[in-house]
Amino acid sequence: MVLGDTDPELYEGELSVAPIIDEWFLNGDVAINGQVIAQEQLIELDSGTANIIGPIDIVQQIFDATGVTGIMTNGSGCAPTLVGVYPCSQPPTLGFGFPSMEDAAAAGGNNGVSRRSTIFDVPASAFPATNSGNGTCTSVLAGVNINLPQAQNRSLWV
């Protein structure tokens, strides 16, 4: 993410430019193995959050499609949370597309927004939140249903 001017000597190729909705919020698409499974998802960019948090139903869909075992937790005073466990040697390929395909099509390159969406995959090395030491990892992806006024009755990804 870049705020302000860019230095073309620090990168190769084209930048993917997406419109910001409200402060750190933008629309994006969610992909598994390069295939979009959920479009126009409201995503809050937060560099201070260690996990990737998404709506429980879509996270469960991702877990089901990638062989991650979902476990629903309901800690005292906490929102219901879906966590995932998987063989450390087989992390799934999860990605996010920016701008969303809909935003890219609507903008058509106007207002500086990219004409096409680019999927950015979470690196396999970043997918485990914890490693149990016995070949099993806990996923950095978790499901929590978060509703904020900015979400306009849509589920939120962080």
Side-chain angles (χ1 to χ4, degrees), residues 18 32 131 143:
I32 301 172
N131 183 328

Side-chain angles (χ1 to χ4, degrees), residues 75-113:
S76 175
C78 297
T81 303
L82 178 65
V83 296
V85 178
Y86 66 97
C88 295
S89 62
Q90 300 172 354
T93 302
L94 171 68
F96 294 90
F98 299 110
S100 67
M101 290 187 294
E102 188 174 309
D103 282 348
N110 294 328
N111 301 323
V113 175

Side-chain angles (χ1 to χ4, degrees), residues 44 79 109:
E44 178 185 16

